[in-house]
mmCIF file of all heavy atoms in Angstrom:
data_model
loop_
_atom_site.group_PDB
_atom_site.id
_atom_site.type_symbol
_atom_site.label_atom_id
_atom_site.label_comp_id
_atom_site.label_asym_id
_atom_site.label_seq_id
_atom_site.Cartn_x
_atom_site.Cartn_y
_atom_site.Cartn_z
ATOM 1 N N SER E 1 -6.229 -5.455 -24.345
ATOM 2 C CA SER E 1 -5.578 -4.711 -25.424
ATOM 3 C C SER E 1 -4.292 -4.049 -24.943
ATOM 4 O O SER E 1 -3.371 -3.814 -25.735
ATOM 5 C CB SER E 1 -6.517 -3.623 -25.959
ATOM 6 O OG SER E 1 -7.729 -4.166 -26.435
ATOM 7 N N ARG E 2 -4.237 -3.680 -23.659
ATOM 8 C CA ARG E 2 -3.029 -3.090 -23.062
ATOM 9 C C ARG E 2 -2.748 -3.828 -21.758
ATOM 10 O O ARG E 2 -3.626 -3.909 -20.889
ATOM 11 C CB ARG E 2 -3.228 -1.596 -22.727
ATOM 12 C CG ARG E 2 -3.630 -0.709 -23.873
ATOM 13 C CD ARG E 2 -5.139 -0.544 -23.984
ATOM 14 N NE ARG E 2 -5.788 -0.224 -22.716
ATOM 15 C CZ ARG E 2 -6.017 1.023 -22.306
ATOM 16 N NH1 ARG E 2 -5.698 2.041 -23.067
ATOM 17 N NH2 ARG E 2 -6.622 1.245 -21.158
ATOM 18 N N ARG E 3 -1.551 -4.357 -21.617
ATOM 19 C CA ARG E 3 -1.225 -5.077 -20.393
ATOM 20 C C ARG E 3 0.187 -4.729 -19.916
ATOM 21 O O ARG E 3 1.060 -4.391 -20.710
ATOM 22 C CB ARG E 3 -1.309 -6.595 -20.615
ATOM 23 C CG ARG E 3 -2.717 -7.131 -20.690
ATOM 24 C CD ARG E 3 -2.729 -8.631 -20.893
ATOM 25 N NE ARG E 3 -2.252 -8.994 -22.222
ATOM 26 C CZ ARG E 3 -1.989 -10.239 -22.601
ATOM 27 N NH1 ARG E 3 -2.115 -11.237 -21.743
ATOM 28 N NH2 ARG E 3 -1.595 -10.492 -23.827
ATOM 29 N N ALA E 4 0.364 -4.859 -18.611
ATOM 30 C CA ALA E 4 1.681 -4.717 -18.011
ATOM 31 C C ALA E 4 2.307 -6.097 -17.856
ATOM 32 O O ALA E 4 1.618 -7.121 -17.913
ATOM 33 C CB ALA E 4 1.570 -4.037 -16.643
ATOM 34 N N LEU E 5 3.601 -6.128 -17.674
ATOM 35 C CA LEU E 5 4.265 -7.400 -17.430
ATOM 36 C C LEU E 5 3.779 -8.003 -16.118
ATOM 37 O O LEU E 5 3.599 -7.288 -15.127
ATOM 38 C CB LEU E 5 5.782 -7.200 -17.356
ATOM 39 C CG LEU E 5 6.514 -7.028 -18.682
ATOM 40 C CD1 LEU E 5 7.948 -6.596 -18.431
ATOM 41 C CD2 LEU E 5 6.474 -8.310 -19.499
ATOM 42 N N PRO E 6 3.582 -9.312 -16.087
ATOM 43 C CA PRO E 6 3.145 -9.960 -14.843
ATOM 44 C C PRO E 6 4.324 -10.185 -13.895
ATOM 45 O O PRO E 6 4.733 -11.314 -13.632
ATOM 46 C CB PRO E 6 2.551 -11.281 -15.345
ATOM 47 C CG PRO E 6 3.326 -11.592 -16.578
ATOM 48 C CD PRO E 6 3.619 -10.255 -17.218
ATOM 49 N N THR E 7 4.877 -9.080 -13.384
ATOM 50 C CA THR E 7 5.918 -9.189 -12.372
ATOM 51 C C THR E 7 5.330 -9.865 -11.138
ATOM 52 O O THR E 7 4.103 -9.985 -11.020
ATOM 53 C CB THR E 7 6.431 -7.793 -11.998
ATOM 54 O OG1 THR E 7 5.336 -7.046 -11.444
ATOM 55 C CG2 THR E 7 6.977 -7.055 -13.215
ATOM 56 N N PRO E 8 6.165 -10.328 -10.212
ATOM 57 C CA PRO E 8 5.614 -10.975 -9.020
ATOM 58 C C PRO E 8 4.545 -10.147 -8.309
ATOM 59 O O PRO E 8 3.494 -10.676 -7.935
ATOM 60 C CB PRO E 8 6.854 -11.184 -8.143
ATOM 61 C CG PRO E 8 7.958 -11.371 -9.121
ATOM 62 C CD PRO E 8 7.641 -10.433 -10.253
ATOM 63 N N LEU E 9 4.796 -8.842 -8.142
ATOM 64 C CA LEU E 9 3.820 -8.003 -7.448
ATOM 65 C C LEU E 9 2.541 -7.841 -8.260
ATOM 66 O O LEU E 9 1.427 -7.995 -7.732
ATOM 67 C CB LEU E 9 4.427 -6.632 -7.152
ATOM 68 C CG LEU E 9 3.496 -5.632 -6.443
ATOM 69 C CD1 LEU E 9 3.029 -6.194 -5.101
ATOM 70 C CD2 LEU E 9 4.206 -4.291 -6.256
ATOM 71 N N VAL E 10 2.692 -7.521 -9.558
ATOM 72 C CA VAL E 10 1.520 -7.335 -10.417
ATOM 73 C C VAL E 10 0.712 -8.626 -10.510
ATOM 74 O O VAL E 10 -0.516 -8.616 -10.446
ATOM 75 C CB VAL E 10 1.954 -6.857 -11.818
ATOM 76 C CG1 VAL E 10 0.765 -6.854 -12.783
ATOM 77 C CG2 VAL E 10 2.564 -5.464 -11.742
ATOM 78 N N SER E 11 1.404 -9.753 -10.648
ATOM 79 C CA SER E 11 0.726 -11.050 -10.747
ATOM 80 C C SER E 11 -0.059 -11.364 -9.481
ATOM 81 O O SER E 11 -1.207 -11.821 -9.544
ATOM 82 C CB SER E 11 1.745 -12.162 -11.014
ATOM 83 O OG SER E 11 2.400 -11.971 -12.242
ATOM 84 N N PHE E 12 0.575 -11.130 -8.345
ATOM 85 C CA PHE E 12 -0.077 -11.443 -7.079
ATOM 86 C C PHE E 12 -1.326 -10.583 -6.888
ATOM 87 O O PHE E 12 -2.382 -11.074 -6.474
ATOM 88 C CB PHE E 12 0.895 -11.239 -5.920
ATOM 89 C CG PHE E 12 0.386 -11.766 -4.606
ATOM 90 C CD1 PHE E 12 0.259 -13.130 -4.398
ATOM 91 C CD2 PHE E 12 0.022 -10.902 -3.585
ATOM 92 C CE1 PHE E 12 -0.221 -13.626 -3.196
ATOM 93 C CE2 PHE E 12 -0.456 -11.389 -2.383
ATOM 94 C CZ PHE E 12 -0.567 -12.762 -2.188
ATOM 95 N N LYS E 13 -1.224 -9.298 -7.238
ATOM 96 C CA LYS E 13 -2.377 -8.406 -7.117
ATOM 97 C C LYS E 13 -3.499 -8.832 -8.054
ATOM 98 O O LYS E 13 -4.672 -8.805 -7.689
ATOM 99 C CB LYS E 13 -1.940 -6.965 -7.403
ATOM 100 C CG LYS E 13 -1.058 -6.373 -6.305
ATOM 101 C CD LYS E 13 -0.386 -5.095 -6.741
ATOM 102 C CE LYS E 13 -1.365 -3.956 -6.890
ATOM 103 N NZ LYS E 13 -0.668 -2.668 -7.184
ATOM 104 N N LYS E 14 -3.133 -9.246 -9.284
ATOM 105 C CA LYS E 14 -4.158 -9.686 -10.226
ATOM 106 C C LYS E 14 -4.839 -10.966 -9.731
ATOM 107 O O LYS E 14 -6.047 -11.138 -9.876
ATOM 108 C CB LYS E 14 -3.554 -9.928 -11.611
ATOM 109 C CG LYS E 14 -4.588 -10.312 -12.660
ATOM 110 C CD LYS E 14 -3.970 -10.448 -14.034
ATOM 111 C CE LYS E 14 -5.047 -10.744 -15.072
ATOM 112 N NZ LYS E 14 -5.704 -12.047 -14.846
ATOM 113 N N MET E 15 -4.051 -11.880 -9.156
ATOM 114 C CA MET E 15 -4.626 -13.115 -8.635
ATOM 115 C C MET E 15 -5.648 -12.835 -7.531
ATOM 116 O O MET E 15 -6.602 -13.585 -7.349
ATOM 117 C CB MET E 15 -3.515 -14.015 -8.084
ATOM 118 C CG MET E 15 -2.621 -14.617 -9.141
ATOM 119 S SD MET E 15 -3.487 -15.820 -10.160
ATOM 120 C CE MET E 15 -2.172 -16.276 -11.283
ATOM 121 N N LEU E 16 -5.440 -11.733 -6.827
ATOM 122 C CA LEU E 16 -6.354 -11.360 -5.749
ATOM 123 C C LEU E 16 -7.525 -10.520 -6.254
ATOM 124 O O LEU E 16 -8.370 -10.103 -5.471
ATOM 125 C CB LEU E 16 -5.597 -10.594 -4.665
ATOM 126 C CG LEU E 16 -4.510 -11.385 -3.917
ATOM 127 C CD1 LEU E 16 -3.780 -10.482 -2.928
ATOM 128 C CD2 LEU E 16 -5.118 -12.578 -3.192
ATOM 129 N N GLY E 17 -7.542 -10.274 -7.575
ATOM 130 C CA GLY E 17 -8.655 -9.536 -8.153
ATOM 131 C C GLY E 17 -8.405 -8.062 -8.385
ATOM 132 O O GLY E 17 -9.298 -7.347 -8.829
ATOM 133 N N PHE E 18 -7.179 -7.592 -8.121
ATOM 134 C CA PHE E 18 -6.837 -6.178 -8.340
ATOM 135 C C PHE E 18 -6.089 -6.077 -9.673
ATOM 136 O O PHE E 18 -4.862 -6.218 -9.720
ATOM 137 C CB PHE E 18 -5.988 -5.644 -7.194
ATOM 138 C CG PHE E 18 -6.647 -5.774 -5.838
ATOM 139 C CD1 PHE E 18 -6.292 -6.797 -4.973
ATOM 140 C CD2 PHE E 18 -7.643 -4.892 -5.455
ATOM 141 C CE1 PHE E 18 -6.896 -6.928 -3.738
ATOM 142 C CE2 PHE E 18 -8.264 -5.012 -4.225
ATOM 143 C CZ PHE E 18 -7.887 -6.038 -3.365
ATOM 144 N N SER E 19 -6.834 -5.829 -10.750
ATOM 145 C CA SER E 19 -6.257 -5.943 -12.091
ATOM 146 C C SER E 19 -6.026 -4.604 -12.790
ATOM 147 O O SER E 19 -5.612 -4.577 -13.944
ATOM 148 C CB SER E 19 -7.169 -6.813 -12.962
ATOM 149 O OG SER E 19 -8.472 -6.266 -13.033
ATOM 150 N N ARG E 20 -6.300 -3.488 -12.125
ATOM 151 C CA ARG E 20 -6.174 -2.186 -12.775
ATOM 152 C C ARG E 20 -4.759 -1.955 -13.290
ATOM 153 O O ARG E 20 -4.562 -1.495 -14.418
ATOM 154 C CB ARG E 20 -6.578 -1.074 -11.810
ATOM 155 C CG ARG E 20 -6.462 0.321 -12.411
ATOM 156 C CD ARG E 20 -6.961 1.403 -11.466
ATOM 157 N NE ARG E 20 -6.724 2.728 -12.004
ATOM 158 C CZ ARG E 20 -7.486 3.319 -12.913
ATOM 159 N NH1 ARG E 20 -8.539 2.690 -13.379
ATOM 160 N NH2 ARG E 20 -7.200 4.523 -13.361
ATOM 161 N N GLN E 21 -3.750 -2.272 -12.474
ATOM 162 C CA GLN E 21 -2.368 -2.060 -12.883
ATOM 163 C C GLN E 21 -2.001 -2.992 -14.029
ATOM 164 O O GLN E 21 -1.334 -2.590 -14.993
ATOM 165 C CB GLN E 21 -1.421 -2.286 -11.698
ATOM 166 C CG GLN E 21 0.049 -2.028 -12.029
ATOM 167 C CD GLN E 21 0.942 -2.238 -10.820
ATOM 168 O OE1 GLN E 21 0.476 -2.515 -9.721
ATOM 169 N NE2 GLN E 21 2.245 -2.123 -11.018
ATOM 170 N N TYR E 22 -2.457 -4.243 -13.963
ATOM 171 C CA TYR E 22 -2.123 -5.230 -14.991
ATOM 172 C C TYR E 22 -2.666 -4.809 -16.354
ATOM 173 O O TYR E 22 -1.992 -4.957 -17.379
ATOM 174 C CB TYR E 22 -2.676 -6.599 -14.604
ATOM 175 C CG TYR E 22 -2.397 -7.686 -15.622
ATOM 176 C CD1 TYR E 22 -1.099 -8.145 -15.843
ATOM 177 C CD2 TYR E 22 -3.430 -8.249 -16.368
ATOM 178 C CE1 TYR E 22 -0.841 -9.133 -16.781
ATOM 179 C CE2 TYR E 22 -3.178 -9.242 -17.301
ATOM 180 C CZ TYR E 22 -1.885 -9.678 -17.505
ATOM 181 O OH TYR E 22 -1.625 -10.658 -18.429
ATOM 182 N N TYR E 23 -3.880 -4.262 -16.384
ATOM 183 C CA TYR E 23 -4.492 -3.857 -17.643
ATOM 184 C C TYR E 23 -4.189 -2.406 -18.011
ATOM 185 O O TYR E 23 -4.800 -1.877 -18.946
ATOM 186 C CB TYR E 23 -6.008 -4.090 -17.589
ATOM 187 C CG TYR E 23 -6.381 -5.552 -17.601
ATOM 188 C CD1 TYR E 23 -7.140 -6.115 -16.581
ATOM 189 C CD2 TYR E 23 -5.947 -6.386 -18.625
ATOM 190 C CE1 TYR E 23 -7.465 -7.462 -16.596
ATOM 191 C CE2 TYR E 23 -6.267 -7.734 -18.636
ATOM 192 C CZ TYR E 23 -7.030 -8.263 -17.619
ATOM 193 O OH TYR E 23 -7.349 -9.600 -17.631
ATOM 194 N N MET E 24 -3.272 -1.764 -17.298
ATOM 195 C CA MET E 24 -2.815 -0.415 -17.607
ATOM 196 C C MET E 24 -4.005 0.520 -17.848
ATOM 197 O O MET E 24 -4.085 1.240 -18.854
ATOM 198 C CB MET E 24 -1.873 -0.442 -18.816
ATOM 199 C CG MET E 24 -0.708 -1.417 -18.648
ATOM 200 S SD MET E 24 0.543 -1.357 -19.947
ATOM 201 C CE MET E 24 1.505 0.076 -19.414
ATOM 202 N N SER E 25 -4.946 0.501 -16.911
ATOM 203 C CA SER E 25 -6.214 1.210 -17.068
ATOM 204 C C SER E 25 -6.062 2.730 -17.063
ATOM 205 O O SER E 25 -7.021 3.442 -17.394
ATOM 206 C CB SER E 25 -7.181 0.784 -15.957
ATOM 207 O OG SER E 25 -7.420 -0.606 -16.001
ATOM 208 N N HIS E 26 -4.909 3.220 -16.699
ATOM 209 C CA HIS E 26 -4.698 4.666 -16.675
ATOM 210 C C HIS E 26 -4.498 5.239 -18.077
ATOM 211 O O HIS E 26 -4.561 6.456 -18.271
ATOM 212 C CB HIS E 26 -3.469 4.995 -15.820
ATOM 213 C CG HIS E 26 -2.188 4.407 -16.348
ATOM 214 N ND1 HIS E 26 -1.873 3.071 -16.230
ATOM 215 C CD2 HIS E 26 -1.143 4.985 -17.022
ATOM 216 C CE1 HIS E 26 -0.688 2.840 -16.786
ATOM 217 N NE2 HIS E 26 -0.242 3.979 -17.272
ATOM 218 N N LEU E 27 -4.246 4.390 -19.068
ATOM 219 C CA LEU E 27 -3.963 4.861 -20.414
ATOM 220 C C LEU E 27 -5.245 5.213 -21.162
ATOM 221 O O LEU E 27 -6.296 4.619 -20.944
ATOM 222 C CB LEU E 27 -3.204 3.790 -21.204
ATOM 223 C CG LEU E 27 -1.813 3.411 -20.699
ATOM 224 C CD1 LEU E 27 -1.234 2.281 -21.546
ATOM 225 C CD2 LEU E 27 -0.875 4.618 -20.702
ATOM 226 N N SER E 28 -5.138 6.179 -22.080
ATOM 227 C CA SER E 28 -6.258 6.550 -22.934
ATOM 228 C C SER E 28 -6.483 5.471 -23.989
ATOM 229 O O SER E 28 -5.533 4.866 -24.483
ATOM 230 C CB SER E 28 -5.973 7.887 -23.626
ATOM 231 O OG SER E 28 -6.920 8.129 -24.653
ATOM 232 N N TRP E 29 -7.758 5.259 -24.328
ATOM 233 C CA TRP E 29 -8.084 4.322 -25.397
ATOM 234 C C TRP E 29 -7.914 4.962 -26.778
ATOM 235 O O TRP E 29 -7.948 4.268 -27.791
ATOM 236 C CB TRP E 29 -9.524 3.834 -25.252
ATOM 237 C CG TRP E 29 -9.709 2.785 -24.203
ATOM 238 C CD1 TRP E 29 -10.260 2.946 -22.964
ATOM 239 C CD2 TRP E 29 -9.353 1.398 -24.294
ATOM 240 N NE1 TRP E 29 -10.267 1.751 -22.280
ATOM 241 C CE2 TRP E 29 -9.724 0.784 -23.073
ATOM 242 C CE3 TRP E 29 -8.757 0.614 -25.283
ATOM 243 C CZ2 TRP E 29 -9.512 -0.576 -22.821
ATOM 244 C CZ3 TRP E 29 -8.550 -0.740 -25.041
ATOM 245 C CH2 TRP E 29 -8.921 -1.318 -23.829
#
């Protein structure tokens, strides 16, 4: 429902299983 742009750094981290930044998990629902 909330995502960040898949910049090279964000994409690489997500590919490795670190998806908190990609899904902007810090935001309130």
Side-chain angles (χ1 to χ4, degrees):
S1 302
R2 303 93 48 92
R3 285 181 291 171
L5 282 170
T7 62
L9 179 59
V10 172
S11 297
F12 190 69
K13 290 167 70 174
K14 183 176 184 296
M15 290 292 179
L16 296 177
F18 302 101
S19 58
R20 180 176 175 80
Q21 182 179 357
Y22 179 68
Y23 290 123
M24 306 187 81
S25 301
H26 62 285
L27 296 177
S28 168
W29 282 105

